[in-house]
């Protein structure tokens, strides 16, 4: 076979170069999406994953061994040399008249599971190791990449530093006790102290440790040193939530800024999300068009709406008032003091305001210990950003900078100051007003891709009773 430098399909479809290549022999590589034809000619749709579009490869039977053509089936991997030509058929402007074909790897028709188009998302979830080869999932994961890139660009362009909080930690940031323990102790034969409790001094770190639920606390150390930081990494929650919005391993973006008050924090959150949505509209058009057409006809409209409209801002107390007066029947009744359920959040966003909402000033009892306390003694300067369909997409707050108030709150919720000396040092030495928030990366992707289950926007989802691959 002639040794010709491979051209990627993204480049072939995306460039002006295409016209100048017409008539010349090129080399492409990829996987067969479909093959159709008759005894004289085969039409092979080839995809290399870099873009949505397939290249139509035309193989005249007279040019190839019959045996070779037979072995080209859906899922097989090919290297093809051929003459790039204007297409005679409908549905594409160019095609490749194959001169030489090498089969890198066959895919047995009887056992390769991705035979027909239009497999259900449920079916594909059970073969998550192969689903990236479908149009839907390759589109979702290309958008996922684009959003990750845009996140780094957004912060880098604005003077934030990418900060790496540890994944293994001894502190429970959110205080919800939903941590996965990390240990090298022999679970069949645990060392015990005199009182009969597990002796963690014998554990790998000499104390009890877990996977982090949030990088925020260490992020605050970064912000009170470098000014503005952001984390972007995996976080882990052992909450037994089997919902389309929860994962036990998810990625979170957590900016933390010195000298930001809650208003600045809200400003940033709104600008950040709008930037990301606009970035997707500008850079992922082909993939979003496909997802819009296949799964969610209103997707593009909804994205456009978010970019163009102000988020509504109100307090928790005002929101409770609206919900109480709404006359709507909720599964969980509302009154001042309850933690809002997604049905309440969605009512506010979808029915009442018909716009994204930022709620602030929650009762302190339902929020974490680090939030700045308001003068009313009842509420804290927390903020949640609520989105259509998804509910909470961002959670954040201004942080309590007074060491006395912080210690008092820690005492109320039962956090030992001696375990948090390192954190308290941010308040003890040069304490600064500061704020931050956490954006759930997969919740953002649910919104941007229009997918309805969070397990479909991460390559290998982790949830209760599932840790395949
Ligand atoms: O509201 P959360 O728990 O806030 C924090 O962890 C803060 N420490 C963030 C901060 O202020 N730096 O989580 C933040 C966001 C949520 O709004 C949601 O988008 C996402 O993380 N999230 C989840 N996403 C997927 N699966 C889960 N189980 C999630 N739990 C939270
Ligand atoms: Mg929250």
């Amino acid at each position: 076979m002639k040794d010709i430098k491979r051209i990627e399909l993204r480049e072939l479809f995306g460039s002006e170069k295409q016209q100048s290549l017409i008539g010349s022999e090129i080399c492409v590589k990829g996987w067969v999406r479909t093959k159709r034809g008759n005894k004289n000619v085969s039409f092979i749709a080839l995809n290399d994953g870099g873009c949505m579009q397939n290249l139509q490869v035309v193989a005249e039977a007279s040019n190839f061994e019959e045996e070779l053509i037979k072995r080209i089936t859906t899922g097989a991997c090919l290297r093809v040399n051929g003459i790039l030509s204007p297409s005679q058929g409908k549905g594409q402007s160019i095609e490749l008249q194959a001169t030489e074909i090498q089969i890198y790897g066959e895919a047995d028709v009887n056992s390769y599971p991705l035979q027909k188009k239009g497999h259900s998302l449920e079916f594909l979830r059970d073969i998550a190791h192969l689903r990236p080869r479908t149009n839907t999932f390759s589109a979702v994961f290309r958008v996922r990449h684009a959003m990750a890139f845009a996140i780094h660009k957004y912060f880098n362009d604005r003077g934030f530093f990418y900060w790496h909080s540890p994944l293994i930690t001894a502190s429970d940031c959110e205080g919800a006790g939903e941590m996965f323990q990390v240990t090298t102790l022999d679970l069949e034969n645990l060392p015990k102290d005199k009182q009969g409790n597990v002796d963690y001094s014998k554990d790998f770190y000499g104390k009890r440790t877990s996977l982090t639920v949030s990088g925020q606390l260490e992020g605050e150390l970064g912000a009170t040193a470098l000014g503005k930081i952001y984390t972007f990494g995996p976080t882990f929650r052992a909450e037994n939530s089997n919902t389309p919005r929860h994962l036990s391993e998810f990625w979170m973006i957590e900016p933390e800024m010195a000298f930001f008050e809650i208003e600045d924090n809200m400003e940033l959150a709104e600008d950040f999300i709008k930037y990301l949505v606009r970035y997707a509209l500008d850079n992922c058009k082909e993939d979003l068009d496909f997802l819009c057409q296949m799964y969610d006809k209103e997707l593009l409209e909804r994205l456009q709406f978010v970019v163009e409209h102000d988020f509504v801002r109100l307090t928790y107390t005002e929101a409770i008032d609206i919900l109480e007066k709404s006359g709507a029947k909720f599964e969980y009744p509302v009154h001042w003091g309850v933690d809002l359920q997604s049905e309440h959040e969605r009512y506010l966003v979808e029915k009442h305001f018909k716009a994204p909402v930022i709620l602030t000033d929650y009762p302190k009892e339902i929020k974490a210990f680090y939030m700045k306390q308001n003068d009313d003694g009842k509420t804290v300067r927390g903020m949640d950003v609520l989105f259509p369909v998804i509910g909470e997409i961002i959670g954040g707050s201004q942080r309590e900078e007074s060491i006395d108030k912080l210690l008092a709150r820690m005492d109320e919720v039962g956090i030992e100051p001696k375990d948090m000396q390192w954190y308290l040092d941010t308040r003890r030495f040069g304490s600064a007003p500061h704020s931050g928030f956490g954006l759930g990366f997969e919740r953002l992707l649910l919104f941007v891709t229009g997918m309805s289950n969070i397990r479909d926007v991460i390559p290998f989802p982790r949830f209760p009773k599932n840790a395949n691959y």
Side-chain angles (χ1 to χ4, degrees):
M1 202 162 161
K2 257 185 269 82
D3 192 6
I4 303 171
K5 190 172 179 301
R6 171 201 174 205
I7 180 163
E8 294 181 31
L9 298 188
R10 196 169 54 99
E11 197 188 336
L12 186 62
F13 287 119
S15 71
E16 323 264 288
K17 222 162 124 189
Q18 199 184 89
Q19 281 312 311
S20 66
L21 284 173
I22 293 220
S24 52
E25 193 169 23
I26 63 166
C27 170
V28 295
K29 299 178 179 182
W31 292 267
V32 176
R33 281 288 161 81
T34 56
K35 185 180 85 172
R36 57 186 180 82
N38 51 44
K39 64 180 190 321
N40 301 322
V41 61
S42 298
F43 299 100
I44 302 159
L46 202 72
N47 188 284
D48 68 5
C51 62
M52 177 62 68
Q53 257 178 294
N54 301 325
L55 178 64
Q56 168 151 292
V57 173
V58 184
E60 303 279 352
S62 54
N63 295 338
F64 298 94
E65 304 266 333
E66 200 184 330
E67 199 43 39
L68 179 103
I69 297 293
K70 257 201 209 143
R71 286 164 53 218
I72 299 175
T73 55
T74 296
C77 185
L78 308 182
R79 166 188 175 198
V80 183
N81 288 343
I83 311 289
L84 191 67
S85 319
S87 178
Q88 285 134 36
K90 274 197 254 132
Q92 66 273 321
S93 59
I94 49 166
E95 62 187 22
L96 194 67
Q97 297 286 343
T99 50
E100 294 175 289
I101 298 178
Q102 178 188 356
I103 301 178
Y104 281 131
E106 295 176 25
D108 175 46
V109 243
N110 295 312
S111 50
Y112 185 60
L114 298 174
Q115 290 301 338
K116 63 176 172 65
K117 284 187 178 171
H119 286 299
S120 74
L121 295 173
E122 288 77 16
F123 171 80
L124 294 171
R125 221 170 281 145
D126 284 337
I127 48 162
H129 59 301
L130 292 173
R131 66 180 181 170
R133 292 193 190 180
T134 62
N135 283 337
T136 297
F137 285 92
S138 55
V140 167
F141 297 139
R142 281 189 296 266
V143 174
R144 186 177 167 105
H145 160 79
M147 290 293 88
F149 178 80
I151 286 161
H152 286 299
K153 179 165 169 51
Y154 179 87
F155 287 123
N156 185 61
D157 289 351
R158 288 160 182 76
F160 287 68
F161 298 100
Y162 185 25
W163 174 261
H164 295 111
S165 284
L167 298 189
I168 298 176
T169 174
S171 41
D172 181 357
C173 174
E174 294 306 298
E178 293 167 337
M179 303 186 81
F180 287 102
Q181 203 175 327
V182 173
T183 181
T184 52
L185 292 178
D186 177 359
L187 297 182
E188 309 289 334
N189 185 20
L190 291 169
K192 297 280 171 69
D193 62 15
K194 290 200 188 72
Q195 288 82 43
N197 299 319
V198 176
D199 182 2
Y200 284 106
S201 70
K202 303 264 167 26
D203 205 347
F204 191 89
Y205 296 106
K207 58 175 153 183
R208 192 174 171 154
T209 53
S210 302
L211 294 176
T212 191
V213 295
S214 159
Q216 176 197 321
L217 302 184
E218 298 86 351
E220 289 183 50
L221 292 161
T224 51
L226 304 183
K228 294 190 291 188
I229 62 92
Y230 69 104
T231 71
F232 183 6
T235 51
F236 308 87
R237 296 198 185 178
E239 53 184 332
N240 198 7
S241 302
N242 269 299
T243 83
R245 288 178 309 277
H246 288 88
L247 291 165
S248 56
E249 176 182 296
F250 64 98
W251 288 63
M252 188 156 41
I253 302 99
E254 297 186 273
E256 191 72 35
M257 298 74 59
F259 317 119
F260 271 49
E261 313 230 336
I262 184 112
E263 289 76 18
D264 310 306
N265 207 24
M266 286 194 273
E267 223 43 70
L268 181 74
E270 181 167 345
D271 186 62
F272 179 45
I273 297 201
K274 285 181 170 170
Y275 174 91
L276 295 177
V277 173
R278 200 176 302 117
Y279 189 94
L281 285 167
D282 292 347
N283 293 276
C284 308
K285 190 171 180 329
E286 194 188 34
D287 290 325
L288 292 183
D289 283 346
F290 174 82
L291 295 168
C292 183
Q293 186 192 327
M294 293 295 291
Y295 295 100
D296 181 350
K297 297 276 180 291
E298 284 147 28
L299 175 63
L300 295 177
E301 261 168 59
R302 212 161 44 239
L303 297 181
Q304 205 62 48
F305 183 90
V306 161
V307 170
E308 286 166 6
H309 291 80
D310 289 342
F311 296 5
V312 178
R313 298 177 189 190
L314 70 160
T315 64
Y316 167 91
T317 303
E318 289 163 338
I320 291 291
D321 198 44
I322 290 170
L323 291 168
E324 280 180 333
K325 290 189 178 138
S326 72
K329 279 269 164 295
F330 296 116
E331 192 186 336
Y332 295 88
V334 279
H335 54 84
W336 202 94
V338 298
D339 203 356
L340 294 182
Q341 302 292 324
S342 124
E343 56 173 339
H344 308 131
E345 297 173 339
R346 292 184 61 177
Y347 179 88
L348 292 169
V349 173
E350 292 164 30
K351 300 244 162 57
H352 190 84
F353 290 111
K354 300 188 168 56
V357 167
I358 311 183
L359 284 192
T360 58
D361 301 287
Y362 284 80
K364 64 177 179 182
E365 283 77 17
I366 59 171
K367 289 291 181 189
F369 75 97
Y370 51 69
M371 293 193 183
K372 185 173 172 68
Q373 297 158 38
N374 283 321
D375 293 337
D376 63 10
K378 291 193 300 190
T379 58
V380 288
R381 225 163 276 182
M383 59 172 229
D384 280 5
V385 180
L386 312 179
F387 257 46
V389 190
I390 291 152
E392 180 189 335
I393 193 165
I394 280 181
S397 75
Q398 184 165 345
R399 318 306 189 191
E400 181 55 71
E401 79 252 27
S402 146
I403 189 154
D404 293 334
K405 287 189 183 170
L406 191 59
L407 282 169
R409 188 71 193 130
M410 285 167 68
D411 187 50
E412 279 172 22
V413 299
I415 301 172
E416 282 286 341
K418 73 167 171 20
D419 297 337
M420 300 287 281
Q421 287 307 327
W422 57 273
Y423 181 70
L424 292 167
D425 274 357
T426 54
R427 279 51 171 187
R428 197 174 286 125
F429 306 120
S431 187
H434 64 290
S435 300
F437 61 81
L439 168 67
F441 189 44
E442 286 77 18
R443 298 245 176 120
L444 169 79
L445 288 171
L446 277 179
F447 183 72
V448 171
T449 62
M451 300 302 280
S452 49
N453 192 317
I454 200 162
R455 296 172 189 177
D456 295 337
V457 295
I458 186 166
F460 305 104
R462 296 286 176 253
F463 50 91
K465 300 283 178 283
N466 183 82
N468 288 338
Y469 322 108

